[in-house]
PDB file of all heavy atoms in Angstrom:
ATOM      1  N   GLY A 149     154.294 119.590 270.018  1.00  0.00           N
ATOM      2  CA  GLY A 149     153.957 120.211 271.291  1.00  0.00           C
ATOM      3  C   GLY A 149     154.136 121.719 271.227  1.00  0.00           C
ATOM      4  O   GLY A 149     154.389 122.303 270.158  1.00  0.00           O
ATOM      5  N   PRO A 169     144.471 124.096 272.838  1.00  0.00           N
ATOM      6  CA  PRO A 169     144.987 122.741 272.627  1.00  0.00           C
ATOM      7  C   PRO A 169     144.014 121.644 272.204  1.00  0.00           C
ATOM      8  O   PRO A 169     144.467 120.568 271.811  1.00  0.00           O
ATOM      9  CB  PRO A 169     145.564 122.397 274.006  1.00  0.00           C
ATOM     10  CG  PRO A 169     144.673 123.129 274.972  1.00  0.00           C
ATOM     11  CD  PRO A 169     144.332 124.418 274.268  1.00  0.00           C
ATOM     12  N   ALA A 207     119.351 121.306 266.971  1.00  0.00           N
ATOM     13  CA  ALA A 207     118.735 121.008 268.267  1.00  0.00           C
ATOM     14  C   ALA A 207     118.319 122.280 268.985  1.00  0.00           C
ATOM     15  O   ALA A 207     117.226 122.365 269.561  1.00  0.00           O
ATOM     16  CB  ALA A 207     119.713 120.199 269.126  1.00  0.00           C
ATOM     17  N   VAL A 227     125.487 127.577 254.121  1.00  0.00           N
ATOM     18  CA  VAL A 227     125.682 128.364 252.897  1.00  0.00           C
ATOM     19  C   VAL A 227     126.287 129.738 253.160  1.00  0.00           C
ATOM     20  O   VAL A 227     126.323 130.579 252.268  1.00  0.00           O
ATOM     21  CB  VAL A 227     124.344 128.534 252.121  1.00  0.00           C
ATOM     22  CG1 VAL A 227     123.747 127.188 251.779  1.00  0.00           C
ATOM     23  CG2 VAL A 227     123.343 129.389 252.918  1.00  0.00           C
ATOM     24  N   GLY A 351     137.201 147.861 268.853  1.00  0.00           N
ATOM     25  CA  GLY A 351     136.851 148.101 267.462  1.00  0.00           C
ATOM     26  C   GLY A 351     137.544 149.294 266.835  1.00  0.00           C
ATOM     27  O   GLY A 351     137.296 149.611 265.665  1.00  0.00           O
ATOM     28  N   GLY A 371     134.880 149.491 251.229  1.00  0.00           N
ATOM     29  CA  GLY A 371     134.509 150.093 252.512  1.00  0.00           C
ATOM     30  C   GLY A 371     133.015 150.074 252.741  1.00  0.00           C
ATOM     31  O   GLY A 371     132.550 149.783 253.849  1.00  0.00           O
ATOM     32  N   VAL A 389     117.235 140.126 269.749  1.00  0.00           N
ATOM     33  CA  VAL A 389     116.782 140.692 271.024  1.00  0.00           C
ATOM     34  C   VAL A 389     115.284 140.960 270.981  1.00  0.00           C
ATOM     35  O   VAL A 389     114.544 140.617 271.920  1.00  0.00           O
ATOM     36  CB  VAL A 389     117.559 141.984 271.342  1.00  0.00           C
ATOM     37  CG1 VAL A 389     116.986 142.656 272.590  1.00  0.00           C
ATOM     38  CG2 VAL A 389     119.044 141.685 271.551  1.00  0.00           C
ATOM     39  N   TYR A 414     143.905 141.191 261.938  1.00  0.00           N
ATOM     40  CA  TYR A 414     143.363 140.156 261.054  1.00  0.00           C
ATOM     41  C   TYR A 414     141.928 140.485 260.628  1.00  0.00           C
ATOM     42  O   TYR A 414     140.995 139.716 260.844  1.00  0.00           O
ATOM     43  CB  TYR A 414     143.443 138.784 261.727  1.00  0.00           C
ATOM     44  CG  TYR A 414     144.863 138.363 262.002  1.00  0.00           C
ATOM     45  CD1 TYR A 414     145.410 138.461 263.274  1.00  0.00           C
ATOM     46  CD2 TYR A 414     145.668 137.910 260.957  1.00  0.00           C
ATOM     47  CE1 TYR A 414     146.733 138.109 263.507  1.00  0.00           C
ATOM     48  CE2 TYR A 414     146.987 137.550 261.185  1.00  0.00           C
ATOM     49  CZ  TYR A 414     147.513 137.647 262.462  1.00  0.00           C
ATOM     50  OH  TYR A 414     148.808 137.302 262.692  1.00  0.00           O
ATOM     51  N   SER A 455     127.771 130.426 247.323  1.00  0.00           N
ATOM     52  CA  SER A 455     128.720 130.193 248.413  1.00  0.00           C
ATOM     53  C   SER A 455     129.824 129.241 247.995  1.00  0.00           C
ATOM     54  O   SER A 455     131.005 129.443 248.340  1.00  0.00           O
ATOM     55  CB  SER A 455     127.972 129.634 249.632  1.00  0.00           C
ATOM     56  OG  SER A 455     128.864 129.276 250.667  1.00  0.00           O
ATOM     57  N   TYR A 458     132.200 131.150 245.774  1.00  0.00           N
ATOM     58  CA  TYR A 458     132.987 132.109 246.550  1.00  0.00           C
ATOM     59  C   TYR A 458     134.039 131.395 247.388  1.00  0.00           C
ATOM     60  O   TYR A 458     135.189 131.845 247.475  1.00  0.00           O
ATOM     61  CB  TYR A 458     132.088 132.946 247.451  1.00  0.00           C
ATOM     62  CG  TYR A 458     132.877 133.927 248.288  1.00  0.00           C
ATOM     63  CD1 TYR A 458     133.352 135.108 247.725  1.00  0.00           C
ATOM     64  CD2 TYR A 458     133.175 133.661 249.631  1.00  0.00           C
ATOM     65  CE1 TYR A 458     134.102 136.001 248.471  1.00  0.00           C
ATOM     66  CE2 TYR A 458     133.925 134.539 250.388  1.00  0.00           C
ATOM     67  CZ  TYR A 458     134.381 135.718 249.811  1.00  0.00           C
ATOM     68  OH  TYR A 458     135.130 136.593 250.542  1.00  0.00           O
TER      69      TYR A 458
END
Side-chain angles (χ1 to χ4, degrees):
V227 303
V389 174
Y414 297 102
S455 175
Y458 179 78

